[in-house]
C-alpha cells in the first residue's frame, strides 16, 4: 500500500522560507517521479514542481521558478520542496504525488497522493 505523508506546512510571513517534506512508503521510491501540487480555496489543483525518478529532470510552474526547489533523497524515500521568498499567493494546501517512471506534470497522471499540508503566507 502506497503512502505519502507530507509535513512542514505552517503559517509564515511574506518573504519567509519553508521546507516541505514528503515521506513515501509502500513503493520502490527510486522508480517514481515525484511532484508537488497545490490547491488554493476555490481554485483547481495546480502543479508546483516535479522531479523525475533519477533527479535529472525537473519542471517548475512559472509562478515558483527561481523561488522553489524540489529535491529528493532516495535513501530516505523522501522528497522535499524548499520554498523561498514566499508570497501570500502561495497560500494553499500542498500535496505530494507519485508516478512511476515517466515524467509528467499533469496532476491527473499521478495515481498516488498524500493528504496535504497547509501553507499560509500572511502579508
Amino acid at each position: 500500500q502506497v503512502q505519502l505523508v507530507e509535513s512542514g506546512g505552517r503559517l509564515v510571513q511574506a518573504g519567509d522560507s519553508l521546507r516541505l517534506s514528503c515521506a513515501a512508503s509502500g513503493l520502490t521510491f527510486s522508480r517514481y517521479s515525484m511532484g508537488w501540487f497545490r490547491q488554493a480555496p476555490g481554485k483547481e489543483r495546480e502543479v508546483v514542481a516535479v522531479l523525475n525518478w533519477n533527479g535529472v529532470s525537473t519542471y517548475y510552474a512559472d509562478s515558483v521558478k527561481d523561488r522553489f526547489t524540489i529535491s529528493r533523497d532516495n535513501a530516505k524515500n523522501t522528497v522535499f520542496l524548499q520554498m523561498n521568498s514566499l508570497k501570500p499567493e502561495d497560500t494553499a494546501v500542498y500535496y505530494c504525488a507519485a508516478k512511476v517512471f515517466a515524467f509528467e506534470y499533469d496532476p491527473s497522471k499521478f495515481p498516488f497522493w498524500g493528504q496535504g499540508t497547509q501553507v499560509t503566507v500572511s502579508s
Side-chain angles (χ1 to χ4, degrees):
Q1 180 182 358
V2 176
Q3 284 193 319
L4 303 175
V5 180
E6 302 96 335
S7 62
R10 60 183 178 91
L11 172 65
V12 296
Q13 293 187 335
D16 284 352
S17 297
L18 198 59
R19 188 173 84 154
L20 304 183
S21 300
C22 172
S25 61
L27 74 169
T28 305
F29 185 73
S30 61
R31 296 180 181 179
Y32 282 74
S33 291
M34 301 298 297
W36 285 98
F37 300 82
R38 67 186 182 187
Q39 188 166 19
K43 295 187 177 181
E44 292 186 354
R45 192 170 297 189
E46 63 177 4
V47 63
V48 175
V50 178
L51 181 63
N52 80 324
W53 63 276
N54 63 4
V56 171
S57 298
T58 57
Y59 173 86
Y60 291 96
D62 287 343
S63 58
V64 307
K65 279 181 182 177
D66 300 323
R67 297 190 299 124
F68 291 10
T69 303
I70 187 172
S71 61
R72 65 190 297 159
D73 184 339
N74 284 351
K76 296 183 177 180
N77 287 8
T78 303
V79 62
F80 305 97
L81 185 68
Q82 178 67 42
M83 305 186 293
N84 299 328
S85 303
L86 282 160
K87 304 176 180 179
E89 51 263 45
D90 294 319
T91 295
V93 177
Y94 283 72
Y95 297 91
C96 169
K99 181 188 182 304
V100 69
F101 282 136
F103 188 69
E104 295 273 2
Y105 50 86
D106 179 349
S108 69
K109 304 294 186 182
F110 284 74
F112 303 111
W113 291 82
Q115 293 300 307
T117 185
Q118 176 71 47
V119 173
T120 303
V121 184
S122 65
S123 58

